Amino acid sequence: MPENRGQDGESLWKFAEARGISRRHFLRLMAVGGATAVLAACAIPETPDATQPLPPPPADSLGSVAPARFKDPSPFIVHDDKSMEARLENMQGLITPNRHFFVRNNSVSLDLNPDTWRLSIEGDAVANPLELTYADILGLPSRVLMCYLECGGNHRAMFDIVQGQAASGTQWKTGGIGNGEWVGASLRDVLTLAGISDNAASVLLIGLDTESPEQGFRRVIPVEKAMHPDTLLAYTLNGEPLPRDHGFPVRALVPGWVGSSSIKWLGRIVVSSGQLWTRNNTTSYVLIGDDYPPEGEAQGKVAGMQSIKSALALPWPSDLSSGLHRIHGYAHSPYGHIARVEWSADGGAVWNDAELPGPQPQYSWARFEFAWDAETGERVIMTRATDAAGNTQPDRVPFNEKGYLFNQPVPHPIRVA
């Protein structure tokens, strides 16, 4: 490693270059988080070493592969042909490499031609409806964000595991999440080109995946979120064009909101002067239960913003030898930086502070770690995070039928031999 790498930009660049980081990616990382962000990105290569064979797929990773799912399934827990859960234990640095980034689709992945792709912007709240090409989007001012993306159903299985009441839907444990460096144009710039009116209220994002519900997966976001400069039309992930499983050529990126808001293979935007309602804010992506009063035409509380969470970067369940271990994990919040992560090995009677090493750019998750002296037997570790605004993971989350936004501390089972 280079000496004085925090001060010597050239030696830091040589260090990053030797680990497969492109010059363009290096400069973006420096702009986002400085030397610490570069070093975090170097912790895992952006792509697998082609000289090393992939490990054999774990038993629970085996399954049928849809013809148009492009990503190698072996690093994942494969739930079905559209859902591949990441293994947090495969992640050591701040950035999730593209090959480890989780997949949640509502149809088979699309293989679109950027030369013929078009994005239309229309609706009663724009004065100048227009159609943009891929080159048009690339020609707009770009923004770079280090941002986590999380499925609204991440941790859904915990309603059953922890509370004994199963919710419907894919039984994600802790791996329906990834953290990446995204580049794209601000959605605000596109809406401004279309002449968005002062009375605009809702923005409907529609994908080109016509096999999805409603013949194109779609989510409504309020105009305030659509016009935030950090809501992006993203076209790169971790220094590469978007992978096809992740929305190539262009997808939405809505920081801090459930992943279904960040529509893939984006093809159409409708701007309305009224509140829009679709399947995905009336019956789906809605918290339905006794503790969630209906909102508008929705059957419950619409799942918009994500919730504060933390998770260990260990298999579920885990097997460890007795003795001292350095344990790490990830925590994140849509409300601000993670200020504190605590851990408990005795069911929550005593909580200890974990360390928060490394950078935490805005919208990024935070890496935490702690030393644990493991004693032989069946053990459980719990973690809880608190953000800079004072939000903390709750002791209990009221049940909702579809299992969205579970975020109480998770008792992670560990067998110590």
Side-chain angles (χ1 to χ4, degrees):
M1 299 174 92
E3 296 181 1
N4 301 319
R5 59 188 179 219
Q7 291 76 36
D8 186 345
E10 187 59 32
S11 60
L12 179 61
W13 155 238
K14 290 178 180 177
F15 176 72
E17 183 183 32
R19 282 149 183 81
I21 303 294
S22 69
R23 182 72 178 184
R24 186 177 183 186
H25 192 198
F26 170 80
L27 293 174
R28 286 175 180 155
L29 288 167
M30 288 293 289
V32 171
T36 49
V38 174
L39 293 172
C42 290
I44 293 182
E46 289 299 305
T47 56
D49 183 351
T51 66
Q52 298 297 320
L54 289 171
D60 59 354
S61 286
L62 300 177
S64 61
V65 179
R69 189 179 67 196
F70 302 99
K71 185 173 287 191
D72 173 13
S74 63
F76 297 93
I77 300 168
V78 178
H79 291 287
D80 54 43
D81 62 353
K82 304 178 185 69
S83 303
M84 300 199 300
E85 180 173 347
R87 299 177 181 275
L88 296 187
E89 64 270 23
N90 288 342
M91 304 178 197
Q92 301 298 320
L94 192 70
I95 292 175
T96 304
N98 290 356
R99 72 182 293 255
H100 288 296
F101 217 101
F102 83 103
V103 174
R104 171 66 178 106
N105 292 336
N106 289 276
S107 71
V108 295
S109 294
L110 303 185
D111 190 8
L112 301 179
N113 183 344
D115 295 332
T116 57
W117 172 87
R118 297 292 183 270
L119 174 64
S120 67
I121 301 92
E122 58 194 82
D124 70 350
V126 294
N128 308 307
L130 58 103
E131 186 176 83
L132 299 176
T133 67
Y134 187 54
D136 291 332
I137 299 294
L138 296 181
L140 294 170
S142 64
R143 295 181 69 83
V144 182
L145 296 182
M146 191 83 76
C147 181
Y148 74 88
L149 185 66
E150 182 184 22
C151 177
N154 196 29
H155 291 210
R156 177 182 285 129
M158 302 306 163
F159 276 113
D160 188 17
I161 293 171
V162 178
Q163 296 188 7
Q165 188 172 6
S168 63
T170 303
Q171 296 300 299
W172 301 93
K173 291 187 175 71
T174 61
I177 186 171
N179 191 57
E181 181 210 69
W182 308 83
V183 178
S186 176
L187 175 57
R188 179 178 66 176
D189 290 347
V190 168
L191 297 179
T192 300
L193 286 174
I196 187 169
S197 62
D198 292 338
N199 68 341
S202 301
V203 177
L204 176 64
L205 308 173
I206 305 173
L208 295 170
D209 46 344
T210 56
E211 293 184 11
S212 294
E214 299 181 284
Q215 290 73 58
F217 200 74
R218 59 193 66 195
R219 281 301 305 264
V220 177
I221 59 175
V223 70
E224 294 80 12
K225 186 64 175 178
M227 292 295 284
H228 192 286
D230 290 339
T231 298
L232 298 187
L233 302 180
Y235 45 78
T236 79
L237 174 60
N238 295 334
E240 300 175 356
L242 282 177
R244 289 171 289 183
D245 290 309
H246 294 285
F248 179 81
V250 173
R251 70 174 299 164
L253 180 70
V254 185
W257 280 49
V258 294
S260 59
S261 306
S262 294
I263 296 295
K264 299 179 182 181
W265 311 291
L266 189 64
R268 185 176 170 216
I269 299 173
V270 179
V271 187
S272 173
S273 58
Q275 173 63 49
L276 296 174
W277 298 98
T278 76
R279 167 190 179 271
N280 290 330
N281 65 350
T282 56
T283 61
S284 191
Y285 297 97
V286 175
L287 282 68
I288 302 171
D290 295 341
D291 294 279
Y292 304 98
E295 297 178 353
E297 296 182 19
Q299 294 183 358
K301 177 180 173 57
V302 179
M305 290 188 71
Q306 264 295 352
S307 55
I308 183 172
K309 289 189 183 76
S310 61
L312 297 179
L314 290 174
W316 186 290
S318 303
D319 290 289
L320 294 176
S321 59
S322 61
L324 191 63
H325 293 271
R326 194 74 178 171
I327 308 293
H328 82 274
Y330 296 94
H332 56 90
S333 172
Y335 304 103
H337 289 183
I338 296 297
R340 185 182 190 188
V341 175
E342 301 164 278
W343 65 278
S344 174
D346 60 5
V350 176
W351 290 92
N352 311 281
D353 283 333
E355 300 171 30
L356 293 171
Q360 191 188 156
Q362 187 178 14
Y363 307 124
S364 172
W365 64 14
R367 190 181 190 277
F368 65 84
E369 58 184 47
F370 57 89
W372 179 47
D373 193 0
E375 297 182 357
T376 302
E378 299 290 330
R379 307 298 177 194
V380 168
I381 292 181
M382 300 167 63
T383 63
R384 68 181 180 193
T386 301
D387 65 26
N391 301 293
T392 301
Q393 291 180 249
D395 292 336
R396 184 175 176 83
V397 177
F399 178 79
N400 68 88
E401 293 179 9
K402 300 195 175 184
Y404 297 121
L405 303 182
F406 184 99
N407 71 327
Q408 71 188 64
V410 169
H412 197 117
I414 304 174
R415 297 182 291 252
V416 182

